[in-house]
Amino acid sequence: MVARVNISLSADTLDRLEQDALENHLNRSSAISRLVWDAKVKYSQVKGQISMDELAKDSTRKRASRT
């Protein structure tokens, strides 16, 4: 799924974004996406979702508690 998002940037920020995009041979949208995905985040999964590893651990715990 792709969502269209409107953002407001100062002239300096836009210049910097365009410079980054030019240096990395990207368009503005791809430059923004790359910057977002390169950013370190506190929680790597979306709030309210569960990872496959956590799901497997939970399933193992349930099986162990039955015995």
Side-chain angles (χ1 to χ4, degrees):
M1 181 180 117
V2 176
R4 185 176 198 92
V5 177
N6 293 320
I7 60 172
S8 298
L9 302 173
S10 68
D12 292 341
T13 303
L14 181 57
D15 289 343
R16 191 170 172 103
L17 175 65
E18 289 178 344
Q19 183 65 34
D20 179 70
L22 180 67
E23 290 174 3
N24 291 288
H25 309 285
L26 301 169
N27 59 33
R28 285 184 193 163
S29 179
S30 296
I32 292 169
S33 294
R34 184 184 57 79
L35 292 167
V36 168
W37 283 104
D38 286 350
K40 291 186 179 184
V41 294
K42 190 172 183 179
Y43 302 107
S44 61
Q45 62 193 62
V46 177
K47 185 177 179 180
Q49 293 186 351
I50 187 168
S51 71
M52 292 303 288
D53 291 336
E54 290 176 11
L55 187 61
K57 287 177 190 175
D58 189 47
S59 177
T60 303
R61 280 189 218 122
K62 286 180 181 176
R63 278 192 237 128
S65 67
R66 289 182 196 163
T67 58

